Amino acid sequence: MGYSELDIRRVLDATDIVTLIGASVALKRIGRRYVGLCPFHQERSGSFSVNGEDGVYYCFGCHAKGDAITFVRETQGVDFVEALEYLADRAHVAIEPTAATPTDRNLKARLYDGYERLAQWYQAQLGDPLRGEEAREYLMKRGISQDSIRSFGIGLSPMRVQLPFARLGIEPEDWEEGGFGYRDQHGSPVDHMHGRITFPIRDATGRVVAFGGRILPEELERLDGKAAKYKNSSESPVYRKRRTLYNLDRARAAIVEKGVAIVCEGYTDVIALDQIGVSNVVATCGTAFSEEHLDVLRRFARRITLFFDADAAGQNAAERLWNEEESRGVVFDVVTLPDNLDPADAAIKDPQLVEAALRRAVPITRFRLERLLGSGDLGSTEDRSRVAKQAIAMIERHPNHLIRGEYVALIADRTGFSVNELMVQLPKGSRSRVIEERVGDAVAVDRPAIEALRLLLHDPAGLDGIVVAELFRDPTHRHIVTTIHGTSSLWEVQQRLKEVGSETMLQLFFQLASEQPESDNSADVIATLVLRESKLELAKLTRSLRVSAGELTAMITEVPRVRLLIEELQGDRTRMEPCGELINWLVSMRSRRDDGTDMDLPANSSSMLPVLEDR
């Protein structure tokens, strides 16, 4: 399903990005822009800039960038369509899908409403003096407080109680497709959560999209233990297990603030940890922690702490994520507990044990090494050699050579081989992390070019043909100018740059677009760049004349003319005629050089003069 560009533009035009971002970020107005602490990384001084007029933001610290749709996607963990629909509802803008019928959107709206009403009904059943008694006793034994029952919206789907479909407003045709339940052999609807304590699963925006259910002990006994203790709603148009994280809507702010997301395996783990003050915690919804889950979480934090059960299954699940650390640009830590303890039981019985375990979380590479060295047979030289080789293979890809050295020392201590013997096992040129050149560094190097680019971005139609690619030497700058040519708005520029697919160009675009031009005098900014580039080109030309004057005799007359134009513009930077002639001269010189043709100029280059206005 998609939406037309017109609908996307209408939603963005109707969205006040300052109000949107200001709801979660304290913004302070400075001139024509707004600044604050970046919501995507920890910082003490505000490097997050919002341009309310053009609807974009940029962080000069972590380089987060985008428009209102991007902000909703990154902060709420939703996809493009979900973010657009959220903003459309927020701004009361009616939009229609282009690749699906209006019925599809109506279905989603019905499901959101149905799940919310069902959650309220479940909560009422748990509070019922008779129906909810057993469930309340179970929750109390598990150490779940009344405050948690209320704040997490815990409920109950009682046994032998028929759902009031008419009152809930759930359409019969939505029952199975919407993931609410199934139909028995008689065609009657059956609730997935029947006989279970219910835990509402919400998307990142706080809408109920599914339920997790823990079977009541009485029901489990009636079924002779043949039912699963935990069960989840089936997937639906509003619920995807491999992308949804329990409690993300509540934990998101704490995750961003702390820069760490703690991932557990169960709902009760999250609730128990929340009760002892660990608020940056989420859980998977009946499935393994997936790449999609990771993609959602890495929008909020680049350090992820895995707090799985102490059994072998939990520890194996943590180890499987090791390969994702390098490829996804995140850092994994692993928390370990004594045998037979899960996070929920530990948090209820011994909060200090959990707090200490969180403080002792170890990097995932160290966790894997400790498991290997602790479980391997080290009784003979051959066994020690085999384990040592496996351990070396684990650490050889670590990007930090200092940490590799520390792990080699650990392996040496456990296996009895010397550090030197083990170091030679590491392949030469072990993989190192590539440090990308920051676009921000280039900004400080070439201020005239950057300011001219910023002007062009904010007035692409007005400065088209004046701020031209030939005024720039940096290839990225030239590509951006070429891409801007013929556009009339910042939105159109953004779309073209996305089509080009250059991350460097997009980063520079959002960086420049997020701030207003430093000077309102565009003529002075352009004149500064034109003078610099003209002097440089003139110096190249005079050097060429000295070397091969016979070949460039026809160009000799250009030197005094260009010098005169430079002097005139230096004397008065508001004079448009010499500035325009110098731009034309630079275009001719540099375009001919790029084409590999001769450097002769037309007799009357002023015929190419663009129309310049005082700005």
Side-chain angles (χ1 to χ4, degrees), residues 126 130-139 155-160 193-198 213-223 225 227-230:
L126 180 63
L130 294 177
R131 293 176 180 172
E133 183 178 8
E134 181 190 354
R136 291 194 302 271
E137 289 179 355
Y138 171 80
L139 291 170
L156 170 68
S157 178
M159 295 181 291
R160 295 176 292 279
M193 300 295 114
H194 184 70
R196 295 174 182 270
I197 295 171
T198 60
R214 204 291 181 187
I215 195 166
L216 289 167
E218 178 184 333
E219 180 70 0
L220 186 61
E221 183 179 349
R222 184 180 70 83
L223 296 171
K229 285 187 178 181
Y230 286 94

Side-chain angles (χ1 to χ4, degrees), residues 453 456 468-485 505 508 533 537 586-587 590-591 593-594:
L453 269 180
L456 179 62
V468 292
E470 286 79 8
L471 290 179
F472 302 87
R473 282 171 276 152
D474 186 290
T476 298
H477 299 166
R478 294 175 71 117
H479 287 153
I480 290 178
V481 175
T482 301
T483 305
I484 292 173
H485 177 69
M505 290 173 65
L508 183 55
E533 296 304 306
E537 199 62 40
L586 284 167
V587 169
R590 291 179 171 178
S591 61
R593 180 187 301 119
D594 292 341

Side-chain angles (χ1 to χ4, degrees), residues 6 30 34 46 49 74 78 98 167 204 210 278 321 349 352 367 398 401 427 468 471 484 511 530 540 572 583 602:
L6 177 61
I30 299 179
Y34 296 80
S49 176
E74 297 296 321
V78 296
T98 57
R167 182 148 55 93
V278 182
L321 291 167
K349 296 175 182 177
Q352 293 182 345
F367 167 76
H398 199 288
H401 72 280
V468 292
L471 290 179
I484 292 173
Q511 179 176 344
V530 169
K540 289 182 179 179
D572 183 358
I583 290 173

Side-chain angles (χ1 to χ4, degrees), residues 72 76 115 129 134 141 192 195 246 412 447 568:
V72 173
Q76 299 188 11
Y115 273 111
E134 181 190 354
K141 289 178 181 178
H192 273 317
Y246 180 69
R447 180 60 60 185
E568 290 178 3

Side-chain angles (χ1 to χ4, degrees), residues 386-435:
R386 175 181 51 79
V387 171
K389 285 184 177 180
Q390 290 177 336
I392 288 294
M394 280 186 184
I395 68 170
E396 66 181 27
R397 288 193 297 165
H398 199 288
N400 189 315
H401 72 280
L402 296 176
I403 295 177
R404 283 200 305 271
E406 180 181 334
Y407 287 149
V408 168
L410 172 66
I411 298 167
D413 181 63
R414 299 291 184 86
T415 62
F417 295 106
S418 71
V419 170
N420 289 337
E421 287 174 319
L422 295 174
M423 287 294 287
V424 298
Q425 300 297 318
L426 284 172
K428 292 182 179 179
S430 292
R431 190 176 306 180
S432 60
R433 195 181 301 271
V434 176
I435 302 175

Side-chain angles (χ1 to χ4, degrees), residues 324-352:
E324 301 298 329
E325 185 174 56
E326 185 177 3
S327 62
R328 301 281 175 154
V330 297
V331 175
F332 283 115
D333 294 322
V334 181
V335 178
T336 55
L337 289 171
D339 290 343
N340 301 319
L341 271 181
D342 62 33
D345 290 338
I348 298 301
K349 296 175 182 177
D350 193 347
Q352 293 182 345

Side-chain angles (χ1 to χ4, degrees), residues 294-598:
L294 181 54
D295 286 338
V296 170
L297 273 187
R298 64 196 289 267
R299 296 170 179 171
F300 310 112
R302 291 306 174 107
R303 181 174 290 276
I304 297 175
T305 297
L306 306 173
F307 198 175
F308 295 162
D309 291 353
D311 59 19
Q315 301 302 286
N316 289 336
E319 185 161 329
R320 281 195 298 270
L321 291 167
W322 175 72
N323 282 328
E324 301 298 329
E325 185 174 56
E326 185 177 3
S327 62
R328 301 281 175 154
V330 297
V331 175
F332 283 115
D333 294 322
V334 181
V335 178
T336 55
L337 289 171
D339 290 343
N340 301 319
L341 271 181
D342 62 33
D345 290 338
I348 298 301
K349 296 175 182 177
D350 193 347
Q352 293 182 345
L353 172 67
V354 171
E355 292 166 0
L358 286 169
R359 288 194 300 269
R360 292 196 305 268
V362 298
I364 195 167
T365 301
R366 173 123 193 180
F367 167 76
R368 296 181 73 235
L369 276 177
E370 293 284 4
R371 286 196 84 199
L372 173 64
L373 296 171
S375 61
D377 184 358
L378 303 178
S380 67
T381 301
E382 289 76 10
D383 290 333
R384 290 188 292 110
S385 174
R386 175 181 51 79
V387 171
K389 285 184 177 180
Q390 290 177 336
I392 288 294
M394 280 186 184
I395 68 170
E396 66 181 27
R397 288 193 297 165
H398 199 288
N400 189 315
H401 72 280
L402 296 176
I403 295 177
R404 283 200 305 271
E406 180 181 334
Y407 287 149
V408 168
L410 172 66
I411 298 167
D413 181 63
R414 299 291 184 86
T415 62
F417 295 106
S418 71
V419 170
N420 289 337
E421 287 174 319
L422 295 174
M423 287 294 287
V424 298
Q425 300 297 318
L426 284 172
K428 292 182 179 179
S430 292
R431 190 176 306 180
S432 60
R433 195 181 301 271
V434 176
I435 302 175
E436 296 182 355
E437 179 183 357
R438 290 179 53 190
V439 172
D441 296 337
V443 173
V445 172
D446 197 351
R447 180 60 60 185
I450 290 299
E451 286 310 308
L453 269 180
R454 201 192 311 272
L455 282 171
L456 179 62
L457 280 172
H458 286 280
D459 189 10
L463 294 178
D464 194 10
I466 298 171
V467 178
V468 292
E470 286 79 8
L471 290 179
F472 302 87
R473 282 171 276 152
D474 186 290
T476 298
H477 299 166
R478 294 175 71 117
H479 287 153
I480 290 178
V481 175
T482 301
T483 305
I484 292 173
H485 177 69
T487 60
S488 58
S489 68
L490 207 64
W491 162 262
E492 193 174 351
V493 175
Q494 180 180 339
Q495 298 312 301
R496 284 195 182 184
L497 289 174
K498 285 183 178 179
E499 290 175 5
V500 172
S502 168
E503 182 63 25
T504 300
M505 290 173 65
L506 272 174
Q507 181 171 316
L508 183 55
F509 164 78
F510 280 108
Q511 179 176 344
L512 299 180
S514 67
E515 292 188 320
Q516 293 294 332
E518 293 184 356
S519 172
D520 291 329
N521 189 347
S522 60
D524 183 70
V525 172
I526 295 169
T528 298
L529 181 60
V530 169
L531 280 170
R532 188 190 72 177
E533 296 304 306
S534 296
K535 290 177 182 177
L536 177 68
E537 199 62 40
L538 184 61
K540 289 182 179 179
L541 177 59
T542 54
R543 285 197 299 271
S544 297
L545 288 171
R546 292 192 189 105
V547 173
S548 53
E551 296 177 14
L552 297 174
T553 302
M555 297 295 297
I556 294 177
T557 57
E558 285 300 313
V559 174
R561 188 180 75 84
V562 172
R563 283 178 177 164
L564 179 61
L565 290 171
I566 290 174
E567 289 174 4
E568 290 178 3
L569 188 56
Q570 282 179 323
D572 183 358
R573 297 193 180 205
T574 64
R575 294 189 61 187
M576 296 297 98
E577 185 174 352
C579 186
E581 288 204 45
L582 286 171
I583 290 173
N584 287 329
W585 179 72
L586 284 167
V587 169
S588 180
M589 293 291 291
R590 291 179 171 178
S591 61
R592 287 169 179 269
R593 180 187 301 119
D594 292 341
D595 293 340
T597 58
D598 64 75

Side-chain angles (χ1 to χ4, degrees), residues 82-104:
E82 291 168 327
L84 180 67
E85 291 175 348
Y86 168 81
L87 290 173
D89 290 340
R90 184 177 179 274
H92 306 293
V93 175
I95 56 177
E96 292 294 338
T98 57
T101 65
T103 306
D104 294 325

